[in-house]
Amino acid sequence: MAKKSVVILGGGPNRIGQGIEFDYCCVHASFALQEEGYESIMINCNPETVSTDYDISTRLYFEPLTIEDVFNIIAHEKPCGIIVQFGGQTPLNIAIPLQNKGVRILGTSPDAIDIAEDRERFRHLIERLGLKQAPSGIAFSLEKAIEIAMDIGYPVLVRPSYVLGGRAMEIVYDDNGLKEFMTKAIEISEEKPILIDKFLEDAIEIDVDAICDGRECVIGGLMEHIEEAGIHSGDSAMVLPPYSLTSDIIKEVKTITGKLALALEVKGLINIQFAVKNRDVYVLEVNPRASRTIPFVSKSIGVPLAKLATKIMLGRTLKELTFTSEIIPKYFCVKESVFPFNRFPGVDTILGPEMRSTGEAMGIDTSFEMAYAKSQLAAGQKLPFSGKIFISVQSKDKIHIYPIVKEFQNLGFEILTSSGTGEFLRKKGLDVTIIPKIYEGRPNVVDYMKNNEISLIINTPSGKKPRKDIVSIRAIAVQRGVPLVTTIPGAKATLLAIKKLKGEKINIKSLQEYYK
């Protein structure tokens, strides 16, 4: 008698925003199906992935992830169901059309996925559960978009709906920026609306991955972003467990996660992004699917979440799988993103809501500082122990950079600055050297970099359109391998890591030793 089979939809072609993390989930799904006595049928078309290796699944279809191609394979294979949770946004976009053609979707229903994706339906759910969400609106025209932005107040986060990797997502600060965005966005998404949210400046962002069997929800991992809200979660450095959140905030985030997972009747994985501002917890986004952080969380806690989620989709419960309570590591795990900037000379390195990373690295240690240091080294950012640091930050960051600069000086670093940052720091009593801007004279920061005299650059972006000289400084820093930090929280974490590295040797242990 032929075995029952299940189809897994992969992430599709290799491109930024469709990470290898989804491939990890697809491979684990294939292993889980085989453990449960099913044939696994993989549909994916990326030659760079493990899921497209011939010996991973029972059968592999190297085909595009379109409704027609997938449906033709399903008609031929006659599986007992398909899994759409593990390929990122691509399979989700075809889940409802496939269900309408009579295909059985395993796990979370396409309707629940649509509630999370559809702005109006999601807002009703948030209101019903009594949760907080940043003010938002939906626009099909420029006039409506400006009206919404004026109503909720700038800055706003704007994006087309149903996009991949934050593509075409921007933070907009005024009407002109919104007009510019709408012109581009309508080309990308003629039928789908533009989503507009109030951007919560200086908020702490949190990512939660959880697993649910429809009756019980267990937190897989709660991660605190090191950068502020507004940087795509695929690009952000994260730490698990959180290193600065209060126990009250952590408790509230976990309660909300459980409420949302059960309200959506999730069967499998769910990822929720939160922002914390002035002790208020806002729900930013809910994805009833595997997220980019599943491999990181699974390695951090020693539990293969994608494998368990697959078994839940086949009808098993969390109790049967003996995963009924959250595992909080007694060590810190830091995920750092890896960027391809050195392959694209002249490209600005500033991070934002549109994903730009092409990989990630992980650092583990008993202290946050050392875990962060390890993650930086793994991602190719060599932290200096001495030398000159060039610092130029936007006006609102000057007050925050002061204690960081003071501490760097205490560690023996020499500080070079731009005029605005330097004057502020001098007024605060710090001895810094102000150097001319690139177009003002020499020796400027580029000259210092060419002479290999700069050990580190801390530069935060100023406004939507940064000056050309600042962009070129960042681009040359990447080209010459000078460590570059573009956020204040990143600068603070870098300082802590350097301080730790100067005082202690790096201790290497295997994952298995940490799990013990």
Side-chain angles (χ1 to χ4, degrees):
M1 192 178 127
K3 272 187 181 179
K4 289 192 289 185
S5 63
V6 170
V7 165
I8 303 163
L9 299 190
N14 186 16
R15 58 210 189 275
I16 292 176
Q18 193 69 307
I20 205 79
E21 303 90 336
F22 298 129
D23 186 57
Y24 166 98
C25 294
C26 290
V27 171
H28 275 246
S30 190
F31 294 159
L33 289 170
Q34 288 164 39
E35 282 173 18
E36 293 293 301
Y38 288 78
E39 287 189 335
S40 62
I41 297 163
M42 186 75 65
I43 306 178
N44 204 2
C45 54
N46 181 350
E48 299 297 315
T49 57
V50 178
S51 64
T52 52
D53 285 356
Y54 68 91
D55 55 351
I56 290 295
S57 303
T58 315
R59 283 186 293 288
L60 166 70
Y61 286 87
F62 200 91
E63 298 293 333
L65 282 138
T66 64
I67 297 162
E68 293 80 7
D69 289 284
V70 171
F71 188 69
N72 287 341
I73 295 165
I74 289 165
H76 173 69
E77 286 286 353
K78 300 180 177 56
C80 57
I82 74 166
I83 292 174
V84 297
Q85 278 190 33
F86 294 145
Q89 190 66 45
T90 304
L92 294 192
N93 289 347
I94 60 173
I96 289 175
L98 286 172
Q99 189 183 47
N100 292 343
K101 283 175 171 278
V103 176
R104 183 180 170 220
I105 310 287
L106 297 179
T108 309
S109 72
D111 186 57
I113 292 167
D114 190 62
I115 290 171
E117 293 276 4
D118 185 287
R119 188 47 60 99
E120 283 304 312
R121 297 185 75 192
F122 185 60
R123 185 185 288 154
H124 290 314
L125 175 68
I126 291 288
E127 284 168 5
R128 180 163 65 80
L129 296 174
L131 306 176
K132 287 193 184 81
Q133 197 184 10
S136 63
I138 302 174
F140 287 89
S141 66
L142 174 62
E143 294 70 29
K144 185 64 180 170
I146 290 174
E147 188 187 313
I148 291 165
M150 295 296 283
D151 187 40
I152 64 181
Y154 288 106
V156 292
L157 187 68
V158 286
R159 57 184 160 156
S161 58
Y162 283 91
V163 294
L164 172 75
R167 191 169 62 92
M169 198 188 286
E170 276 184 29
I171 298 162
V172 167
Y173 293 88
D174 53 35
D175 286 357
N176 289 335
L178 191 54
K179 283 173 191 166
E180 198 181 307
F181 173 84
M182 289 294 284
T183 313
K184 286 187 293 183
I186 287 160
E187 291 168 23
I188 291 163
S189 176
E190 287 173 9
E191 292 162 15
K192 304 281 184 186
I194 298 301
L195 311 178
I196 303 170
D197 297 85
K198 173 71 179 167
F199 175 59
L200 301 165
E201 286 191 288
D202 304 321
I204 296 171
E205 196 164 337
I206 299 166
D207 250 77
V208 179
D209 281 319
I211 188 165
C212 185
D213 60 12
R215 294 185 291 277
E216 196 179 352
C217 177
V218 177
I219 303 288
L222 190 152
M223 295 149 277
E224 179 180 350
H225 289 217
I226 290 165
E227 288 86 4
E228 303 107 321
I231 290 173
H232 192 281
S233 61
D235 287 352
S236 207
M238 297 182 194
V239 56
L240 183 164
Y243 75 116
S244 76
L245 297 173
T246 64
S247 56
D248 292 355
I249 296 289
I250 291 169
K251 191 179 173 186
E252 189 179 344
V253 165
K254 288 177 182 177
T255 304
I256 294 170
T257 300
K259 279 184 180 177
L260 283 164
L262 294 171
L264 289 167
E265 295 177 14
V266 167
K267 284 182 183 147
L269 295 167
I270 183 169
N271 168 263
I272 306 178
Q273 290 162 27
F274 298 90
V276 178
K277 185 166 183 175
N278 305 330
R279 300 196 60 77
D280 287 324
V281 176
Y282 295 89
V283 178
L284 295 181
E285 198 174 314
V286 174
N287 296 302
R289 59 166 170 84
S291 72
R292 285 182 183 80
T293 45
I294 285 296
F296 170 68
V297 172
S298 297
K299 283 186 189 295
S300 300
I301 64 172
V303 175
L305 293 172
K307 222 178 208 185
L308 298 189
T310 305
K311 293 182 180 186
I312 283 168
M313 289 180 225
L314 298 173
R316 303 283 291 274
T317 64
L318 283 164
K319 203 170 184 180
E320 284 175 337
L321 298 169
T322 66
F323 186 63
T324 53
S325 59
E326 181 190 1
I327 295 169
I328 300 171
K330 291 184 168 63
Y331 43 85
F332 288 93
C333 302
V334 175
K335 176 196 86 105
E336 182 54 283
S337 299
V338 177
F339 298 94
F341 298 132
N342 58 345
R343 305 284 177 92
F344 300 98
V347 166
D348 195 7
T349 58
I350 289 300
L351 304 179
E354 186 164 359
M355 187 173 164
R356 305 176 81 183
S357 63
T358 49
E360 56 191 43
M362 179 175 175
I364 307 178
D365 204 272
T366 49
S367 73
F368 163 70
E369 297 87 346
M370 190 58 87
Y372 185 78
K374 286 178 179 179
S375 75
Q376 297 308 293
L377 293 168
Q381 185 104 302
K382 201 172 177 208
L383 301 177
F385 289 177
S386 61
K388 295 182 175 74
I389 300 177
F390 175 72
I391 298 173
S392 176
V393 297
Q394 61 171 312
S395 299
K396 76 180 183 73
D397 291 334
K398 285 172 186 170
I399 193 73
H400 304 296
I401 200 69
Y402 162 69
I404 296 169
V405 174
K406 192 175 179 184
E407 198 57 39
F408 270 123
Q409 282 191 329
N410 292 342
L411 291 174
F413 286 90
E414 189 184 331
I415 307 297
L416 309 180
T417 70
S418 59
S419 52
T421 304
E423 281 158 17
F424 174 85
L425 293 172
R426 280 179 176 176
K427 280 177 190 166
K428 286 278 185 183
L430 296 183
D431 180 22
V432 300
T433 304
I434 294 173
I435 60 173
K437 293 183 174 75
I438 292 174
Y439 55 83
E440 285 178 347
R442 308 181 80 162
N444 53 52
V445 67
V446 171
D447 296 318
Y448 279 102
M449 276 195 277
K450 283 177 179 172
N451 294 333
N452 298 320
E453 290 182 65
I454 298 286
S455 302
L456 176 69
I457 290 178
I458 298 171
N459 172 234
T460 63
S462 48
K464 171 73 183 75
K465 288 203 169 148
R467 295 196 320 270
K468 275 186 182 169
D469 62 317
I470 290 294
V471 174
S472 67
I473 288 169
R474 293 194 284 256
I476 293 164
V478 169
Q479 203 181 320
R480 300 192 73 86
V482 179
L484 174 66
V485 180
T486 58
T487 66
I488 292 295
K492 194 174 177 183
T494 301
L495 166 67
L496 293 172
I498 290 171
K499 213 170 170 182
K500 194 77 171 173
L501 285 170
K502 278 173 80 89
E504 280 181 35
K505 277 187 175 175
I506 291 180
N507 178 26
I508 306 296
K509 281 201 294 190
S510 68
L511 272 173
Q512 289 76 7
E513 287 175 274
Y514 280 110
Y515 295 156
K516 278 178 192 172

